[in-house]
């Protein structure tokens, strides 16, 4: 006997193929975005604009298909109908802008989303940050272009474009702030980021709440023992996997 006690390590359960596929797609997306960010601004902006326009065209085409029956509800006025007031004409054009067929809506939404994506890309590259100001500038541009291509509003296209742009910008600014408020993780989550990654890689993410309940933060990972994991009610199998992972991780092993 050499005084060492052999510990039987249970084999890890097979990884979920869906989780693996999602992780691979995320890695590919991150790698492609990293490559695209290194390209000239014109190349990145053109690609992002084209991608945004394609997505918008798909959404607009679908909406146009679902609302195609509305187009007949708002027919174009006959040429002899010159007695319509400017307000009535403006209302009719607004209705037609949102009730066109698939091709019309695909065009409108392609312009709107493409311009938004392109301006956002340029603003982020120039300013180095994606914030509410950049988001509102992009929304203003997309709203103005949407107004111009769709004929939204009355005969004064310039004023209508500015009005639509301001409306889009205000809505986007409010949504951006609202998204920031609800997307921020709890303040204490920053202390468990490394533990969360470890548990996810082992397929044990359900035990994250046990780590938080026992205050087993990232700083405690190199110090974890079987007794500490048992105290937070983690079963024997997952305990062995966690301890084996820590033992094999060079960074965590150095912290012991």
């Amino acid at each position: 006997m050499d005084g060492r006690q052999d510990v039987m390590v249970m084999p890890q359960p097979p990884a979920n193929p869906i989780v693996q596929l999602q992780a691979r797609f995320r890695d590919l997306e991150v790698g492609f975005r990293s490559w695209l960010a290194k390209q000239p601004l014109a190349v990145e902006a053109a690609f992002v604009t084209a991608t945004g326009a394609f997505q918008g065209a798909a959404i607009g085409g679908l909406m146009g298909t679902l609302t195609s029956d509305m187009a007949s509800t708002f027919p174009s006025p006959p040429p002899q109908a010159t007695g319509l007031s400017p307000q009535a004409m403006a209302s009719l054009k607004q209705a037609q802008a949102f009730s066109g067929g698939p091709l019309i809506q695909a065009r409108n939404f392609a312009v709107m989303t493409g311009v938004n994506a392109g301006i956002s890309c340029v603003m982020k590259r120039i300013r180095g940050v994606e914030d509410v100001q950049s988001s509102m500038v992009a929304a203003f541009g997309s709203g103005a272009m949407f107004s111009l291509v769709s004929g939204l509003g009355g005969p004064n296209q310039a004023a209508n474009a500015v009005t639509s742009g301001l409306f889009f910008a205000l809505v986007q600014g409010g949504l951006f702030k609202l998204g920031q408020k609800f997307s921020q993780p709890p303040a204490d989550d920053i202390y468990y980021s490394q533990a969360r990654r470890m548990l996810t890689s082992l397929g044990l993410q359900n035990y994250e709440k046990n780590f938080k309940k026992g205050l087993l933060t990232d700083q405690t990972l190199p110090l974890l023992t079987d007794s500490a994991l048992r105290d937070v009610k983690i079963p024997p199998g997952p305990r062995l996997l966690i301890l084996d992972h820590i033992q094999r991780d060079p960074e965590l092993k150095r912290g012991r």
Side-chain angles (χ1 to χ4, degrees):
M1 298 290 292
D2 56 4
R4 295 181 302 177
Q5 182 178 2
D6 294 333
V7 177
M8 179 180 297
V9 179
M10 296 181 62
Q12 297 187 12
N16 189 329
I18 297 180
V19 174
Q20 286 184 327
L21 187 61
Q22 290 175 339
R24 177 166 294 185
F25 274 118
R26 283 196 299 268
D27 292 340
L28 290 175
E29 182 182 6
V30 170
F32 179 76
R33 289 183 180 277
S34 177
W35 172 84
L36 189 62
K38 298 176 182 177
Q39 305 307 307
L41 176 58
V43 175
E44 183 182 11
F47 180 85
V48 171
T49 301
T51 303
F54 177 80
Q55 294 174 344
I59 296 173
L62 177 60
M63 290 184 60
T65 301
L66 296 176
T67 61
S68 58
D69 292 339
M70 294 178 60
S72 59
T73 309
F74 305 101
S76 299
Q80 63 271 21
T82 57
L84 290 177
S85 65
Q87 293 80 6
M89 289 294 295
S91 299
L92 181 60
K93 287 186 176 181
Q94 284 182 338
Q96 290 175 333
F98 289 101
S99 64
L103 293 179
I104 293 177
Q105 293 297 344
R107 178 203 63 187
N108 295 348
F109 277 81
V111 170
M112 180 176 64
T113 56
V115 170
N116 189 296
I119 296 178
S120 296
C121 174
V122 173
M123 293 292 292
K124 183 178 180 180
R125 178 73 75 93
I126 293 176
R127 302 182 69 236
V129 64
E130 188 175 1
D131 54 11
V132 65
Q133 288 84 1
S134 298
S135 181
M136 291 181 70
V137 170
F140 178 87
S142 64
M145 288 302 300
F146 178 82
S147 175
L148 292 174
V149 300
S150 65
L152 184 65
N156 192 340
Q157 292 187 353
N160 294 327
V162 172
T163 302
S164 299
L166 289 175
F167 175 76
F168 274 55
L170 291 175
V171 172
Q172 181 66 22
L175 292 176
F176 190 95
K177 287 293 187 181
L178 192 64
Q180 280 186 325
K181 180 179 180 180
F182 286 99
S183 64
Q184 290 179 349
D188 62 344
D189 274 12
I190 61 175
Y191 302 110
Y192 299 93
S193 58
Q194 192 174 8
R196 184 183 305 110
R197 288 195 300 269
M198 176 190 68
L199 293 173
T200 301
S201 67
L202 296 173
L204 303 175
Q205 56 269 23
N206 291 336
Y207 295 106
E208 182 181 343
K209 60 182 181 297
N210 301 67
F211 271 65
K212 291 182 177 181
K213 185 176 180 180
L215 299 179
L216 300 178
T217 63
D218 293 345
Q219 292 182 335
T220 67
L221 290 182
L223 308 174
L224 284 183
T225 62
D226 184 79
S227 175
L229 294 173
R230 186 169 59 249
D231 288 343
V232 295
K233 295 181 172 54
I234 296 180
R239 292 204 305 266
L240 290 173
L241 292 176
I242 292 170
L243 294 174
D244 179 65
H245 177 87
I246 294 174
Q247 180 66 26
R248 294 174 183 273
D249 191 309
E251 182 179 353
L252 294 177
K253 192 174 181 181
R254 284 194 301 267
R256 284 182 173 269

